[in-house]
Amino acid sequence: MSASQILLRFASVFTAAGSVIGVVASVKIRRVRFLLREGSTARGVVTRLEETRVAPASDAGSTSRSVGTTVY
């Protein structure tokens, strides 16, 4: 078997594996986007409710719109 045939088979294997991984990733991304867009419902009972005020320097994850608001 020549070097070019070995490289061709090697490339074919990686192309097929990459294609499979790409399809699986695409399906997962579509599922996550659908969940974020449509949401999900759950039934439950509220047992406790705490009021918290978002401070300007409370955490790095807060946006400028959420600073100074009340969350539960």
Side-chain angles (χ1 to χ4, degrees):
M1 192 178 276
S2 70
S4 63
Q5 288 177 331
I6 292 173
L7 288 175
L8 180 62
R9 289 179 191 236
F10 190 71
S12 298
V13 168
F14 276 99
T15 301
S19 297
V20 169
I21 290 171
V23 168
V24 170
S26 175
V27 169
K28 294 233 179 229
I29 289 171
R30 294 182 100 194
R31 285 183 184 171
V32 169
R33 283 186 175 177
F34 177 78
L35 179 61
L36 291 174
R37 184 177 56 245
E38 300 296 325
S40 181
T41 59
R43 293 180 58 170
V45 177
V46 176
T47 58
R48 183 175 46 181
L49 189 64
E50 295 179 7
E51 181 178 329
T52 305
R53 189 118 172 117
V54 178
S58 64
D59 74 349
S62 63
T63 64
S64 61
R65 290 183 298 190
S66 64
V67 172
T69 60
T70 302
V71 295
Y72 297 93

